[in-house]
């Protein structure tokens, strides 16, 4: 059953006013938390072996947004990360490149140079990441600077305070403005910070709000709070993008971020994707992992499958 609002308003009329948008979002069916978590847990028990596991590991590597978002980031660190994104395993040219390198706006030009000539995209967090506490003009300048420096993707954070206060139209208008600032060259990922939204109903509403506003991706988290991506909240967002495409014909990507550290974790998420939205999303154009430590474990497990033994601790670089 599609997760659509009970109101009969077409989507183009939903944003006519704050009251129509609120009525639409609160008309979405409530989330069965017990059922959602049971479904996510059940999918997490699926066992993948041998050839299928090798395929899943390479797919997961190709979906990683290799990320460094620290105050101590240097140009040298970003160049090193870019080199790793392009060739994750220097000893094995068959290892796929990652999807993107994700950095702060002032490091975009450095990252762009580091991945030049490869398929790796440069993503930039913007809009006063991670808190989003800045005036709209400042946020838009942040986005324009990143795009001008060569960012292929912008990861924005929503105003959680406005959302939780029920000021949905403000959040919608901000996403629309950021999407416009991205221009034609950069895709927009909208971060909800699901750990701060408190309820599954709020995550469902935020998902639909982001998609109605033009998000190319919806993303769980910044990775900077206690609760980040989980199989349950990712399953809920995948259901939302599935139902949104059924209603509008528009496909939107999903990016769980934060807390996904092992190959076992990544495979569980891929099973959730396959069982919820199918093969159309099993591609890095539509699904990503926001992770910094995940790649190393994927590479270690990849070598284990190839050689039958685990490599030493110096097999992968320390980010």
């Amino acid at each position: 059953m599609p997760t659509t609002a009970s109101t009969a308003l077409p989507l183009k009329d939903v944003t006519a006013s704050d009251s129509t948008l609120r009525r639409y979002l609160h008309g979405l069916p409530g989330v069965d938390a017990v059922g959602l978590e049971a479904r996510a847990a059940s999918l997490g028990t699926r066992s993948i072996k041998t050839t299928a596991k090798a395929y899943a590991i390479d797919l997961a590597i190709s979906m990683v947004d290799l990320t460094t978002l620290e105050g101590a980031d240097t140009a040298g660190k970003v160049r090193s990360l870019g080199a790793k994104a392009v060739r994750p395993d220097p000893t094995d040219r068959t290892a796929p490149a990652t999807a993107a390198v994700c950095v702060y706006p002032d490091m975009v030009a450095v990252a762009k140079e580091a991945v030049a000539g490869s398929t790796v995209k440069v993503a930039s967090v913007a809009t006063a990441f991670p808190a989003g506490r800045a005036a709209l003009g400042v946020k838009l300048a942040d986005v324009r600077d990143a795009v001008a420096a060569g960012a292929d993707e912008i990861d924005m954070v929503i105003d959680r305070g406005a959302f939780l206060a029920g000021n949905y139209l403000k959040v919608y208008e901000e996403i629309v403005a950021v999407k416009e600032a991205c221009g034609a060259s950069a895709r927009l990922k909208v971060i909800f910070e699901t750990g701060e939204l408190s309820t599954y109903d709020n995550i469902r509403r935020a998902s639909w709000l982001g998609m109605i506003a033009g998000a190319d991706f919806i993303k769980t988290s910044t990775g900077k709070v206690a609760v980040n991506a989980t199989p349950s909240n990712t399953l809920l967002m995948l259901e939302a993008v599935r139902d949104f495409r059924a209603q509008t014909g528009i496909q939107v990507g999903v990016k769980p971020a934060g807390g996904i550290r092992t190959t076992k974790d990544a495979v569980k998420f891929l099973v959730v994707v396959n069982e919820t939205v199918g093969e159309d999303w099993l591609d890095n154009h539509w699904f990503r992992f926001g992770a910094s430590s995940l790649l190393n474990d994927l590479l270690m497990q990849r070598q284990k499958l190839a050689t039958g033994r685990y490599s030493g601790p110096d097999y992968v670089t320390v980010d």
Side-chain angles (χ1 to χ4, degrees), residues 32-100:
D32 174 3
V34 174
L36 179 74
E37 292 173 359
R39 172 68 172 162
S42 173
L43 292 174
T45 64
R46 302 283 176 87
S47 179
I48 295 180
K49 303 294 185 183
T50 59
T51 304
K53 185 175 181 180
Y55 170 78
I57 288 174
D58 277 6
L59 182 59
I61 291 171
S62 77
M63 291 173 165
V64 169
D65 281 2
L66 196 56
T67 303
T68 183
L69 298 171
E70 303 297 335
D73 286 345
T74 64
K77 181 178 181 181
V78 171
R79 282 192 287 268
S80 177
L81 205 70
K84 184 172 182 176
V86 173
R87 188 170 293 172
D89 185 348
T91 70
D92 186 353
R93 290 178 175 270
T94 68
T98 70

Side-chain angles (χ1 to χ4, degrees), residues 280-291:
D280 287 355
W281 271 267
L282 284 174
D283 181 279
N284 69 13
H285 194 73
W286 299 113
F287 192 79
R288 299 282 181 84
F289 292 107

Side-chain angles (χ1 to χ4, degrees), residues 81-261:
L81 205 70
K84 184 172 182 176
V86 173
R87 188 170 293 172
D89 185 348
T91 70
D92 186 353
R93 290 178 175 270
T94 68
T98 70
V101 172
C102 186
V103 295
Y104 278 115
D106 64 318
M107 289 292 177
V108 167
V110 176
K112 195 73 175 178
E113 182 179 359
V115 303
S118 74
T119 60
V120 178
K121 305 295 185 184
V122 174
S124 178
V125 295
T127 64
F129 178 95
R133 307 313 308 178
L136 179 58
V138 173
K139 294 180 181 181
L140 296 180
D142 206 24
V143 173
R144 294 188 186 108
D145 284 350
V147 173
D152 303 295
E153 301 168 356
I154 295 295
D155 290 33
M156 73 165 286
V157 288
I158 66 165
D159 183 337
R160 279 90 76 191
F163 180 89
L164 292 170
N167 195 349
Y168 301 131
L169 192 61
K170 179 183 179 183
V171 179
Y172 166 83
E173 290 174 342
E174 189 168 283
I175 297 171
V176 169
V178 172
K179 174 73 171 176
E180 183 178 354
C182 288
S185 61
R187 297 176 80 200
L188 176 63
K189 305 192 197 89
V190 177
I191 309 169
F192 303 138
E193 201 68 287
T194 51
E196 293 184 346
L197 296 188
S198 301
T199 70
Y200 288 131
D201 286 339
N202 276 340
I203 295 171
R204 175 172 282 171
R205 290 168 190 149
S207 297
W208 278 82
L209 179 58
M211 293 186 292
I212 293 168
D216 297 299
F217 264 80
I218 53 175
K219 178 177 171 181
T220 60
S221 329
T222 63
K224 301 294 187 181
V225 299
V227 179
N228 295 290
T230 68
S232 296
N233 60 35
T234 303
L235 170 59
L236 180 57
M237 291 166 63
L238 286 164
E239 290 175 345
V241 298
R242 177 198 65 198
D243 298 340
F244 187 78
R245 189 177 73 167
Q247 184 167 335
T248 67
I250 298 169
Q251 187 162 338
V252 176
V254 175
K255 178 179 173 180
I260 306 169
R261 297 183 177 88

Side-chain angles (χ1 to χ4, degrees), residues 20-33:
T20 57
L21 184 54
R22 183 180 298 106
R23 186 163 64 249
Y24 185 87
L25 295 176
H26 283 265
L28 293 167
V31 178
D32 174 3

